[in-house]
């Protein structure tokens, strides 16, 4: 798949020329995934389209940015291609092709980085990605700062991330296993849902499981009775193997296998 190939190209930068320099600094793969997350988090629903920002500014510490000297233009191109494919895959509307900028922030430590996004009007005469779409009135979002969860250290990409092993995710319902083969799996009482529940307490479109990168999330679709994850009410929650999701009076267990 195209998206997977782009991910692997970015990962190849880490393992190849970039990898030797960035093992203890910000990694290109992490930048790509966080950029896609910011695109998802800042989407705006219009009458017939879902708009997302088209300008992304990455803030790096002086040390981190210095590691990219001589390669920054190539990396920016890869990140822009990654965002464009993510937008196509999710059917997002853009005012222009994604534009990635890189700046230095002296307040950031090694391994930390910030991302600011905005809806930028195309330059006069430039072709817009959605020429007939009226631009939504959206202010620039606050800069999101990402910090490493542990001291920087050498980390190898997992076999799943490198595409050497296939990860299969399931929802177990009443002993039956439903494979999550789509990036978005809708759960509810309607026969049009990907996973239909015979439960009067479930809404017609109750919730959906979303695959974001290598992670899975359960998201409530404004249901009447809400949902619980491991006994706690939640509107959105990241799923781990063994987590129990309660929708209406039905329990579903999330499970992941690597084959």
């Amino acid at each position: 798949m195209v998206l997977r190939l782009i991910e692997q190209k970015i990962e190849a930068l880490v393992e190849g020329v970039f990898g030797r320099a960035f093992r203890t600094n910000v990694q290109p793969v992490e930048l790509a995934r966080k950029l896609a997350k910011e695109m998802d988090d800042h989407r705006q629903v219009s009458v017939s389209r879902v708009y997302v920002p088209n300008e992304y500014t990455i803030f790096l510490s002086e040390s981190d940015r210095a590691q990219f000297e001589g390669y920054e233009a190539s990396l920016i191109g890869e990140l822009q291609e990654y965002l464009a494919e993510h937008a196509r895959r999710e059917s997002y509307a853009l005012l222009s092709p994604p534009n990635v900028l890189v700046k230095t922030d002296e307040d950031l430590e090694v391994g930390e980085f910030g991302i600011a996004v905005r809806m930028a009007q195309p330059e006069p005469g430039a072709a817009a990605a959605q020429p007939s779409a009226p631009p939504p009135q959206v202010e620039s979002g606050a800069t999101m700062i990402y910090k490493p969860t542990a001291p920087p250290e050498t980390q190898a990409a997992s076999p799943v991330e490198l595409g050497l092993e296939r990860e299969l995710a399931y929802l177990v319902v009443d002993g039956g296993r439903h494979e999550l083969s789509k990036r978005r799996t809708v759960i509810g009482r309607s026969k049009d849902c990907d996973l239909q529940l015979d439960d009067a307490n479930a809404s017609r479109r109750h919730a959906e499981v979303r695959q974001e990168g290598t992670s899975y999330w359960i998201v409530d679709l404004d249901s009447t009775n809400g949902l619980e994850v491991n006994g706690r009410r939640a509107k959105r929650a990241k799923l781990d193997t063994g987590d129990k999701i309660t929708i209406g009076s039905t329990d579903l267990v999330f499970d992941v296998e690597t084959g």
Side-chain angles (χ1 to χ4, degrees):
M1 299 174 69
V2 176
L3 182 61
R4 191 58 183 163
L5 290 175
I6 294 173
E7 286 182 331
Q8 289 175 342
K9 284 177 67 178
I10 295 174
E11 286 168 340
L13 295 178
V14 182
E15 296 300 320
V17 177
F18 286 125
R20 292 189 290 273
F22 305 135
R23 291 289 185 176
T24 59
N25 297 82
V26 172
Q27 297 187 23
V29 172
E30 184 68 6
L31 290 176
R33 289 173 179 165
K34 296 304 184 185
L35 285 169
K37 179 180 184 299
E38 290 299 312
M39 176 179 281
D40 292 335
D41 289 348
H42 289 86
R43 59 192 172 210
Q44 299 288 327
V45 180
S46 183
V47 177
S48 60
R49 293 191 177 109
V50 178
Y51 290 93
V52 290
N54 57 337
E55 184 174 288
Y56 299 78
T57 303
I58 301 172
F59 296 92
L60 298 169
S61 68
E62 291 185 2
S63 177
D64 277 317
R65 191 173 183 187
Q67 304 297 320
F68 294 90
E69 185 176 0
Y71 308 98
E72 189 173 287
S74 296
L75 179 58
I76 287 174
E78 294 284 356
L79 294 175
Q80 290 177 162
E81 184 181 358
Y82 181 89
L83 284 173
E85 180 58 34
H86 183 71
R88 283 192 293 269
R89 190 178 183 87
E90 298 297 332
S91 298
Y92 291 150
L94 289 155
L95 299 182
S96 67
N99 183 31
V100 175
L101 307 173
V102 178
K103 297 184 178 181
T104 302
D105 189 329
E106 297 178 355
D107 293 330
L108 293 174
E109 301 291 336
V110 174
E112 298 179 354
F113 62 94
I115 297 176
V117 305
R118 74 185 186 102
M119 297 275 193
Q121 290 293 334
E123 292 295 328
Q130 298 289 343
S132 62
Q137 300 301 312
V138 180
E139 297 295 331
S140 300
T143 302
M144 188 68 185
I145 302 297
Y146 292 94
K147 298 184 178 182
T149 56
E153 59 182 16
T154 300
Q155 295 182 348
S158 70
V160 170
E161 290 178 318
L162 292 177
L164 301 179
E165 294 184 0
R166 186 185 177 199
E167 188 176 74
L168 302 176
Y170 299 89
L171 284 177
V172 181
V173 188
D174 295 329
R177 296 170 67 81
H178 181 90
E179 183 179 350
L180 302 175
S181 57
K182 301 167 60 177
R183 290 183 66 83
R184 298 192 177 198
T185 301
V186 179
I187 308 167
R189 203 175 69 251
S190 171
K191 65 180 181 180
D192 296 326
C193 291
D194 301 302
L195 177 53
Q196 184 180 9
L197 301 181
D198 184 14
D199 187 338
N201 294 313
S203 296
R204 291 180 58 79
R205 290 171 58 88
H206 198 108
E208 69 178 13
V209 175
R210 298 177 185 173
Q211 182 183 4
E212 299 180 2
T214 57
S215 300
Y216 290 84
W217 296 75
I218 182 72
V219 180
D220 180 47
L221 299 178
D222 295 324
S223 64
T224 301
N225 296 320
L227 61 84
E228 295 181 356
V229 178
N230 298 326
R232 294 187 176 183
R233 300 280 291 187
K235 290 289 291 183
R236 173 183 167 93
K238 186 176 180 181
L239 296 174
D240 293 315
T241 301
D243 282 348
K244 183 177 75 172
I245 305 164
T246 302
I247 293 177
S249 47
T250 303
D251 290 334
L252 308 89
V253 178
F254 179 73
D255 188 26
V256 173
E257 293 181 355
T258 302

